[in-house]
Structures are given as C-alpha cells and as structure tokens.
C-alpha cells in the first residue's frame, strides 16, 4: 500500500510539474540599495542568484564569478560529492553496479525527495544511483553511503576528507543528502571543483542525462528536475537542489565542440531564475571561450651538451598533451617560450628535468611544461674511459 501511494503521488508530481519558489524581501533602505548597485557592477550578466561561478571543465579555469567563495547551503547539489565517492569506489573495484544494497532503518527515515525505501528492502547500486541523480532520492544516498563506508557518519567523514583533498576550502558536510542542517555549507567555486572531478568519471553520464525512467519494474516513475536537459543544447548534467534555506540551486554542465562548461547557481529566488541564470553563464562561456590543443603547438628543442659524460649530448622532449582555455580567436596568438639548460654536468639521468616550456598570451601565462632528457649520460671515470678506448681498438 505504501508503494502504491508513493507511486500515485509521484505520477501526480510528474503530471502537474513542480516548481519551488523562495521569496526574498526587497531592500528597504538606501544602504541596501547602494550594496545592490555595487554588486550589479560585478555582475554584468545580471544574475539573480546569491552566488555563481562559471568554470571550464577541462582546465579548471574560472571565467565568471559572483560571490563564488561565499559560504552558503547547497541543498541536493551535495549529492555531487556523494556520487563522486560512489563512482570512485566503483572505478576502484570496491563496489559493483549489480550488487545489492540493503536499506537500513535510518536510510528509510529520510524526508524530502525519496523513493520510499523500506527497512530491509534491497536494491542494486545501479538503481540507487539512478534514484539519486534522477529522483534526488535522499534515502538512496544514505543507503549507498552506509553500504560503502559502514555507517552514515563514516561516509560523511569521507566526504569531508575528499573535499579537503580537492581544495574545497569553503565546504563542510553534515549529511550526504543536502537536507538543511546547521553548518552544512559550501561555495559556488567548491561545487564547480567537485562537479569537474565527478565528470572525469565518464560512466556518470549514463545517469545525469536521464530525463525519465522507472524503478521497481515500472512501479515507480522518476522524472529529472534538471530542465536544461530538454532546454539547453549539450547539457550533460549535473544536479539541481532546492530547500527553504538554500533557495533554488543548480550545478549545470554542458559540452559543445569538445569543451565542457560548468555553471553553478546558488540561492536563486525561484526555479525559473535558476535555469535562466545557468543558461546565461553557459551562453557566455560558449560564445567567448575556446580550447586550444597544446599538443599541436610547435616546439623546437635542441640537444644539450653534457660535460664529463659518456654521452656528449642528450636529447630533450616535452609532453604538452592537453589544452588551454583562451578567448575565441586568440589561439593563433599563443607564444611558446623555451627555457632550457645550455649544458649539463654528468651524470645525467633519463627524464631529468632540464627546463620549461611556457605558453603565453599577451602578459598571461597559460601553462608551463617540464622539458626532460630523452636518455641519460653516465659520468666519465678512468675505468669507463679505458673501456671505451679498448672497444675502439678492438673495432680497428
């Protein structure tokens, strides 16, 4: 009976749609008005959100920022970190998509968005991930976290440790769901960082791009709240979130011409504004920026003389695989600066760093790459010199 009621409720939500609106009071005094005017100067896209950021997914470069390091609640965008840990465990072979997860009493007690798991009910990792991404199911997230870490508390600890490793300095997790809780905060920039990290796991796109699906043999229907999947070309995810404290939020990722842009919106006043803000950011990114393939740049590296070495010269190479983000039309203006040692003192080892290649665009440094030796050269000793002399005589 519980599942039938849940399924009926879900069907009604899908039919009528759901839009959460958070109302914010307008400024009532001149000081607030002055603050709004000052902020608009730093917000040329006229975003409605409290905070926002636009990051290139391949390079991590931020090209638009509005209060991007301000600590704010993030609602269900928390699940981006939750899913990162799950996919890292999957890629490491610690869990399998078809293995069964048993729902605990605690996981079943979650409020907010859910798939109404019952204590003792079993579901595969695959289905729970689908429930978390498409249905934003809090019970599914907790069940997955407990399954991986042994307890909800241990999993949340893992989340905070991973955030620290990624350099997410404004983030602290209290839960793995995003339900409002004191001290559960992040920033737009931190969300962009973890979103880019999650997108490194290509398997995740199988879930973040689902528009509608079902669970329990069709008994429960899921509908994605990320409307950009239908409204914005190239959208590949990632996650929406709405609570009374966080307002309307989204981490929106889109890919065009092999370039990924990640737009993060926190604290938008309503769902429509959340998507509108994200579109503005993504449009700005795709209209004004492009990736330059660094492996296609020409770099001439000389051989380097070796003093007191068995080899009198060694060759050099540089690995410049990857790309850099530049303003559209500026890729042709990239300068390649080579700084390499004039000579080396033996012994010289294979892959020894002997200089750097720096890519410049105007006064901006786009990236630097180590120049390394393609072979080694042992130091000449009396015995080695005698040995070479003997070889030479033997060959005469």
């Amino acid at each position: 009976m519980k599942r039938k009621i849940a399924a009926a409720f879900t069907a009604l939500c899908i039919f009528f749609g759901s839009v959460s609106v958070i109302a914010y009071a307008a400024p009532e005094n001149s000081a607030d008005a002055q603050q709004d005017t000052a902020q608009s100067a730093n917000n040329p896209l006229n975003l409605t959100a409290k905070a926002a950021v636009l990051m290139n997914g391949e390079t991590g470069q931020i090209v638009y920022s509005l209060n991007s390091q301000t600590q704010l609640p993030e609602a269900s965008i928390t699940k981006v970190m939750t899913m990162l840990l799950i996919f890292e465990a999957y890629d490491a072979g610690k869990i399998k998509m078809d293995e069964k997860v048993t729902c605990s009493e605690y996981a079943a007690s979650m409020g907010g968005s859910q798939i109404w798991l019952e204590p003792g009910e079993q579901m595969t990792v695959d289905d729970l991930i689908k429930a978390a991404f498409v249905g934003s199911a809090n019970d599914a997230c907790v069940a997955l976290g407990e399954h991986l870490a042994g307890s909800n508390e241990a999993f949340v600890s893992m989340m905070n440790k991973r955030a620290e490793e990624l350099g997410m300095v404004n983030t602290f997790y209290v839960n793995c769901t995003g339900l409002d809780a004191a001290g559960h905060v992040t920033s737009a920039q931190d969300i962009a960082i973890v979103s880019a990290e999650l997108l490194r796991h290509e398997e995740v796109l199988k879930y973040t791009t689902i528009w509608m699906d079902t669970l329990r043999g069709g008994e429960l229907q899921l509908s994605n709240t990320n409307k950009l999947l239908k409204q914005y070309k190239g959208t590949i995810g990632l996650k929406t979130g709405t609570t009374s404290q966080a307002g309307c939020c989204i981490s929106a990722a889109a890919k065009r011409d092999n370039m990924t842009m990640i737009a993060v919106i926190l604290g938008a006043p309503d769902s429509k504004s959340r998507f509108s803000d994200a579109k503005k950011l993504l449009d700005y990114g795709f209209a004004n920026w492009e990736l330059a393939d660094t492996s296609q740049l020409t770099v001439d590296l000389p051989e380097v003389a070796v003093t007191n070495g068995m080899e009198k010269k060694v060759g050099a190479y540089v690995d410049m695989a990857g790309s850099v983000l530049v303003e559209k039309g500026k890729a042709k203006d990239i300068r390649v600066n080579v700084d390499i040692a004039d000579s080396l003192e033996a012994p010289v080892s294979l892959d020894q760093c002997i200089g750097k290649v720096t890519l410049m665009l105007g006064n901006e440094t786009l990236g630097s790459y180590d120049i390394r030796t393609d072979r080694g050269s042992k130091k000449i000793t009396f015995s080695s010199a005698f040995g070479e002399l003997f070889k030479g005589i033997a060959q005469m």
Side-chain angles (χ1 to χ4, degrees):
M1 179 61 71
K2 182 179 178 182
R3 288 184 183 171
K4 290 181 180 179
I5 294 172
F9 176 76
T10 303
L12 286 172
C13 288
I14 293 168
F15 182 78
F16 289 109
S18 58
V19 177
S20 300
V21 178
I22 308 298
Y24 292 98
E28 296 180 355
N29 55 55
S30 59
D32 287 337
Q34 290 174 3
Q35 183 176 1
D36 279 359
T37 301
Q39 179 165 304
S40 66
N42 299 320
N43 184 17
L45 294 182
N46 295 316
L47 305 179
T48 64
K50 290 182 178 180
V53 76
L54 179 66
M55 173 189 282
N56 173 250
E58 286 77 18
T59 67
Q61 185 173 334
I62 291 173
V63 296
Y64 194 96
S65 176
L66 173 67
N67 302 324
S68 64
Q69 303 219 39
T70 301
Q71 285 189 320
L72 292 167
E74 61 175 328
S76 283
I77 300 181
T78 297
K79 295 179 175 76
V80 174
M81 174 59 84
T82 301
M83 289 297 105
L84 174 62
L85 294 183
I86 298 301
F87 275 89
E88 286 180 339
Y90 169 71
D91 286 347
K94 295 179 181 178
I95 58 173
K96 297 178 180 178
M97 288 297 174
D98 60 354
E99 70 183 66
K100 297 284 188 177
V101 176
T102 303
C103 180
S104 69
E105 290 275 358
Y106 180 70
S109 73
M110 292 295 103
S113 300
Q114 57 185 306
I115 54 169
W116 296 279
L117 287 170
E118 297 179 355
E121 181 179 358
Q122 290 190 324
M123 194 171 283
T124 64
V125 169
D126 175 68
D127 279 347
L128 290 174
I129 291 174
K130 189 187 302 181
F133 269 126
V134 185
S136 197
N138 297 322
D139 47 1
C141 287
V142 174
L144 283 168
E146 291 177 335
H147 183 74
L148 178 62
S151 71
N152 180 65
E153 293 75 18
F155 186 73
V156 174
S157 179
M158 287 175 61
M159 294 171 67
N160 283 311
K161 181 181 178 182
R162 192 70 180 101
E164 184 178 353
E165 291 170 350
L166 290 172
M168 299 167 61
V169 296
N170 295 305
T171 297
F172 186 80
Y173 296 110
V174 175
N175 58 57
C176 66
T177 61
L179 290 168
D180 288 335
H184 188 95
V185 292
T186 189
S187 68
Q189 182 167 316
D190 282 0
I191 292 172
I193 291 171
V194 69
S195 296
E197 190 67 21
L198 178 60
L199 286 171
R200 295 180 188 277
H201 302 266
E202 294 185 4
E203 189 83 3
V204 77
L205 299 182
K206 288 172 52 178
Y207 302 90
T208 59
T209 55
I210 294 173
W211 178 241
M212 296 185 72
D213 211 323
T214 60
L215 294 175
R216 299 189 179 107
E219 184 181 339
L220 179 65
Q221 191 164 14
L222 301 174
S223 180
N224 203 318
T225 55
N226 184 4
K227 294 182 179 180
L228 295 184
L229 287 170
K230 290 292 185 181
Q231 297 176 355
Y232 196 84
K233 178 184 175 183
T235 297
I236 56 175
L238 275 170
K239 191 72 191 73
T240 60
T242 304
T243 65
S244 59
Q245 292 182 22
C248 292
C249 311
I250 188 172
S251 175
K255 188 170 186 177
R256 295 180 183 175
D257 298 326
N258 293 318
M259 181 175 75
T260 304
M261 284 292 180
I262 299 168
V264 177
I265 298 296
L266 290 180
D270 53 63
S271 185
K272 183 178 179 180
S273 298
R274 160 179 61 190
F275 295 121
S276 176
D277 281 357
K279 288 178 184 178
K280 287 180 181 179
L281 284 174
L282 293 170
D283 281 345
Y284 170 78
F286 290 121
N288 292 282
W289 299 89
E290 64 180 345
L291 289 175
D293 185 352
T294 51
S295 67
Q296 299 301 309
L297 297 173
T298 301
V299 184
D300 294 320
L301 298 176
E303 287 191 318
V304 180
V306 179
T307 304
N308 298 322
M310 296 293 290
E311 297 279 348
K312 299 304 180 184
K313 292 182 179 181
V314 292
Y317 76 94
V318 59
D319 183 0
M320 291 174 52
S323 55
V324 291
L325 189 71
V326 297
E327 290 184 63
K328 276 199 171 178
K330 294 291 184 69
K332 64 184 184 300
D333 299 325
I334 296 175
R335 303 193 315 277
V336 179
N337 294 340
V338 177
D339 181 13
I340 189 170
D342 295 324
S343 63
L344 300 169
E345 179 73 26
V348 176
S349 59
L350 172 67
D351 293 327
Q352 181 175 323
C353 182
I354 58 173
K356 284 191 178 296
V357 172
T358 305
L359 303 184
M360 303 292 297
L361 185 59
N363 295 322
E364 180 186 1
T365 300
L366 300 178
S368 62
Y369 308 83
D370 289 339
I371 301 172
R372 299 186 178 276
T373 56
D374 65 359
R375 59 186 181 274
S377 178
K378 294 180 179 180
K379 187 178 181 67
I380 291 178
T381 62
F382 176 79
S383 60
S384 62
F386 184 81
E388 289 297 312
L389 177 61
F390 182 79
K391 284 182 184 178
I393 293 173
Q395 293 172 359
M396 291 179 64

